[in-house]
């Protein structure tokens, strides 16, 4: 039996006092936006299949602060993503030894006032070294050989022993102690399992050999491993949202993490994005974010057998927004993003206008309460494709007094939602409206997606109580 509907505003006098049209263009807000990879295992360039194949075999370029500065100066870049190996952040037991590039990327995000996220990889065929394990662990961890595609280059990945899980947990705890409280850190990826830390185990067993999906442990043991890695991450990063690659949704531990509210990630929209994974991604909480990577500017995929990509790559951001992307990544490094900005600026159009949440009060009422006090009722509309990932705090300020209310972001999707916001006592004249979003344990100001004849979406809206 359906719960009886109760109309909160029945028999209460109301009058319309304001209306706001949607803002057109990019909105810089927490919990959403366009990502540029600051560091990854693809620090090479190339924007045709031939260039990419050739350049993937060259040494990576050297990251400079100028590159990061140029990217963060782009008005529509909201987040820097740091994707490095375990040996890039730790060299000695019990101590972090962050690479200069890692620290440089964090500094660039902080200096520019944008956020950052991270993934620590324990194995990557895309990195030049044979492995990504700190040297002091090589005599303590068992390693498994595989090959980097058609290159005659042997790689090694660590086996998921109890010893491995112990040292991974220690590293995460040190990283969390250093950065979990950082207000500019927006999210962190669950990692430590599979190639690129994404859960894949499709490895080449010889130079140019066929890909074999490794089963390194029993199904029961694998579940224990995935659960342990998720629990270690949650323990280390209490205040920062955890992101789970949807490849891990094939495990019960991954499914449980999604049910409990973690954010989700898909590494691409290509043909290996399976319906099963898509369904688990849509099972996420309404206030959990979806992150998509990566749109590569210029790479022509129309000749491939992948029917989902028989189109111009410029369509890809729209596809990601169709799924409900809160974030979208362009490129694998800063030079990719800058190339896209210079040569294909239209690539960013869908992300600028659709990605994430775009909250505005379409209509505002003043409503009298039974105790003769007044409230504002905000007819909140979300013009974006994703819900705000967290709790939204609304504030009404007048004559130095402030009233507030909190609404979970899951409420803002699909249709108008009425937010009742009490007004301060003896409120007269004008009221200033503001919003904040609490993501994990961190709270930041939010722009309204309302057109008030400004170049940027505003942090404040003013409504007049009397006309």
């Amino acid at each position: 039996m359906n719960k009886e509907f109760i109309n909160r505003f029945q028999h209460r006098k109301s009058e319309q006092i304001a209306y706001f049209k949607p803002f057109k263009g990019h909105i810089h807000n927490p919990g959403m936006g366009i990502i540029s990879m600051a560091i990854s295992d693809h620090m090479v360039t190339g924007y045709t299949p031939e260039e990419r194949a050739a350049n993937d075999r060259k040494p990576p370029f050297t990251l400079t602060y100028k590159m990061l500065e140029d990217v963060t100066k782009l008005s529509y870049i909201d987040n820097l993503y740091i994707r490095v190996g375990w040996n890039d952040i730790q060299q000695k037991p019990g101590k972090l030894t962050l690479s200069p590039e890692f620290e440089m990327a964090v500094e660039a995000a902080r200096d520019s006032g944008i956020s950052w996220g991270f993934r620590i990889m324990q194995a990557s065929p895309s990195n030049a070294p044979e492995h990504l394990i700190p040297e002091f662990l090589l005599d303590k961890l068992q390693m498994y050989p595989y090959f980097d595609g058609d290159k005659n280059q042997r790689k090694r990945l660590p086996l998921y022993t109890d010893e491995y899980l112990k040292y991974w947990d220690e590293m995460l705890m040190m990283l969390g102690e250093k950065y979990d409280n950082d207000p500019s850190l927006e999210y962190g990826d669950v990692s430590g399992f599979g190639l690129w830390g994404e859960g894949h185990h499709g490895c080449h067993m010889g130079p140019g050999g066929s890909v074999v999906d490794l089963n390194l442990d029993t199904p029961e043991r694998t579940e224990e491993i995935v659960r342990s890695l998720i629990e270690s991450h949650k323990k280390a990063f209490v205040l920062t949202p955890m992101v789970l690659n949807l490849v891990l949704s094939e495990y019960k531990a991954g499914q449980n993490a999604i049910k409990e509210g973690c954010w989700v990630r898909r590494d691409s929209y290509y043909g290996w994005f399976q319906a099963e994974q898509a369904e688990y991604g849509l099972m996420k909480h309404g206030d959990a974010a979806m992150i998509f990577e990566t749109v590569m500017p210029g790479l022509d995929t129309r000749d491939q057998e992948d029917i989902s990509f028989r189109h111009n790559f410029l369509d890809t951001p729209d596809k990601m927004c169709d799924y409900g992307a809160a974030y979208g990544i362009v490129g694998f490094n800063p030079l990719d993003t800058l190339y896209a900005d210079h040569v294909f600026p239209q690539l960013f159009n869908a992300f600028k206008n659709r990605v994430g949440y775009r909250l505005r009060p379409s209509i505002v009422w003043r409503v009298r309460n039974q105790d003769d006090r007044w409230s504002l009722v905000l007819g909140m509309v979300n013009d974006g494709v994703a819900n705000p990932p967290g709790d939204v705090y609304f504030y009404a300020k007048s004559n130095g007094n402030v009233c507030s209310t909190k609404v979970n972001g899951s409420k803002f999707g699909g249709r108008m939602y009425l937010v009742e916001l009490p007004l301060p006592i003896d409120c007269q004249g004008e009221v200033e409206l503001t919003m904040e979003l609490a993501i994990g344990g961190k709270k930041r100001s939010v722009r309204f997606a309302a057109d008030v004849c400004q170049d940027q979406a505003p942090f404040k809206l003013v409504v007049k109580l009397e006309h």
Side-chain angles (χ1 to χ4, degrees):
M1 181 180 296
N2 292 331
K3 186 177 180 180
E4 182 181 357
F5 176 75
I6 299 175
N7 190 329
R8 293 172 289 163
F9 309 110
Q10 187 175 10
H11 306 309
R12 294 168 64 184
K13 180 182 178 181
S14 67
E15 59 175 326
Q16 298 177 9
I17 60 172
Y19 315 92
F20 294 96
K21 297 184 297 182
F23 180 86
K24 304 297 183 182
H26 180 67
I27 299 175
H28 178 66
N29 264 335
M32 59 168 280
I34 304 175
I35 300 173
S36 176
M37 284 200 186
I39 318 167
S40 80
D41 44 324
H42 296 283
M43 301 300 279
V44 295
T45 59
Y47 306 105
T48 67
E50 295 75 21
E51 287 178 349
R52 197 73 188 192
N55 290 350
D56 274 342
R57 288 159 176 75
K58 295 179 180 179
F61 63 76
T62 301
L63 181 69
T64 67
Y65 191 84
K66 178 66 165 53
M67 294 176 191
L68 295 171
E69 189 177 48
D70 287 345
V71 163
T72 57
K73 282 181 179 177
L74 299 177
S75 61
Y76 48 81
I77 295 300
D78 304 283
N79 180 269
L80 291 181
Y81 188 44
I82 301 172
R83 182 168 129 174
V84 296
W86 188 351
N87 55 2
D88 289 313
I89 66 164
Q90 187 181 14
Q91 295 294 332
K92 300 178 181 179
K95 181 180 179 180
L96 291 179
T97 47
L98 300 172
S99 68
E101 291 80 8
F102 190 106
E103 293 184 311
M104 188 190 305
V106 173
E107 180 184 359
R110 289 171 174 170
D111 288 349
S112 60
I114 66 174
S115 62
W116 61 283
F118 73 90
R119 184 197 313 170
I120 310 302
M121 300 180 292
Q122 92 296 346
S124 167
S126 312
N127 281 78
E130 184 182 32
H131 62 82
L132 301 182
I133 303 303
E135 292 294 327
F136 77 92
L137 289 176
L138 289 180
D139 62 346
K140 297 179 175 64
L141 301 182
Q142 301 176 48
M143 305 287 281
Y144 192 92
Y146 68 101
F147 285 81
D148 180 11
D150 60 355
K151 304 176 193 176
N152 188 20
Q153 185 175 2
R154 193 187 75 157
K155 303 281 188 177
R156 290 192 293 163
L157 60 83
L159 297 181
Y160 310 113
T161 61
D162 288 339
E163 193 81 350
Y164 167 81
L165 295 174
K166 180 188 76 171
Y167 283 107
W168 184 265
D169 181 87
E170 289 179 359
M171 176 273 292
L172 282 179
M173 291 303 295
M174 291 188 292
L175 198 64
E177 183 178 356
K178 183 173 180 64
Y179 287 117
D180 190 34
N181 280 296
D182 184 349
S184 64
L185 174 59
E186 198 140 281
Y187 57 86
D189 281 46
V190 174
S191 187
F193 184 70
L195 303 182
W196 302 284
E198 293 177 341
H200 309 285
H201 284 94
C203 294
H204 292 266
M205 291 295 97
S210 60
V211 177
V212 176
D213 286 321
L214 298 179
N215 294 310
L216 299 173
D217 295 279
T218 66
E220 294 77 16
R221 171 61 180 168
T222 302
E223 281 289 347
E224 292 178 7
I225 292 164
V226 175
R227 182 169 59 252
S228 174
L229 292 169
I230 290 173
E231 290 304 316
S232 289
H233 189 101
K234 288 166 61 177
K235 181 176 63 174
F237 291 91
V238 177
L239 303 177
T240 305
M242 176 179 74
V243 183
L244 183 94
N245 193 295
L246 284 175
V247 174
L248 294 175
S249 67
E250 66 181 84
Y251 304 102
K252 284 277 182 17
Q255 296 166 22
N256 289 337
I258 294 173
K259 292 176 183 177
E260 292 167 4
C262 76
W263 292 11
V264 294
R265 171 189 296 277
R266 227 348 261 186
D267 55 332
S268 75
Y269 211 98
Y270 290 100
W272 49 82
F273 183 20
Q274 300 174 8
E276 177 185 7
Q277 297 169 1
E279 181 81 336
Y280 279 123
L282 295 174
M283 189 182 74
K284 70 178 180 61
H285 285 198
D287 61 350
M290 171 75 207
I291 302 176
F292 258 115
E293 61 176 87
T294 233
V295 183
M296 276 302 298
L299 289 180
D300 187 352
T301 58
R302 287 172 290 182
D303 295 333
Q304 297 183 8
E305 295 179 1
D306 178 0
I307 60 171
S308 68
F309 264 65
R310 287 178 182 165
H311 60 75
N312 192 291
F313 68 94
L314 294 172
D315 298 339
T316 308
D318 262 318
K319 286 182 176 289
M320 294 175 175
C321 288
D322 289 345
Y323 187 79
Y327 298 85
I329 301 178
V330 175
F332 277 109
N333 57 62
L335 296 185
D336 284 347
T337 311
L338 292 170
Y339 175 83
D341 175 70
H342 293 307
V343 181
F344 300 105
Q346 64 271 39
L347 176 65
F348 297 92
N349 288 345
F351 282 156
K352 287 181 181 180
N353 290 282
R354 295 187 65 198
V355 77
Y357 62 92
R358 302 172 72 92
L359 295 182
R360 64 181 169 91
S362 173
I363 183 170
V364 180
W365 292 269
R366 184 169 69 154
V367 178
R368 185 189 294 274
N369 301 324
Q370 294 178 349
D371 58 3
D372 286 335
R373 292 187 58 184
W374 292 83
S375 294
L376 291 184
V377 175
L378 312 178
M380 296 301 299
V381 173
N382 184 357
D383 297 312
V385 299
N387 289 43
D391 289 322
V392 183
Y393 289 77
F394 295 85
Y395 302 94
K397 180 178 179 180
S398 180
N399 299 322
N401 299 314
V402 180
C403 287
S404 66
T405 193
K406 179 181 74 173
V407 180
N408 186 259
S410 62
K411 299 293 185 181
F412 302 108
R415 58 179 181 176
M416 181 180 288
Y417 183 80
L418 302 184
V419 175
E420 183 169 8
L421 178 57
L423 286 172
I425 297 174
D426 299 327
C427 180
Q428 296 179 356
E430 295 182 344
V431 177
E432 181 181 275
L433 302 177
T434 55
M435 289 189 297
E436 290 183 320
L437 178 63
I439 304 176
K442 306 169 189 180
K443 189 184 292 186
R444 293 166 61 191
S445 296
V446 171
R447 294 180 183 272
F448 289 94
D451 184 1
V452 292
C453 300
Q454 297 177 3
D455 292 338
Q456 295 187 19
F459 282 114
K460 301 176 182 178
L461 293 177
V462 175
V463 297
K464 296 182 179 180
L465 299 180
E466 298 176 358
H467 294 276

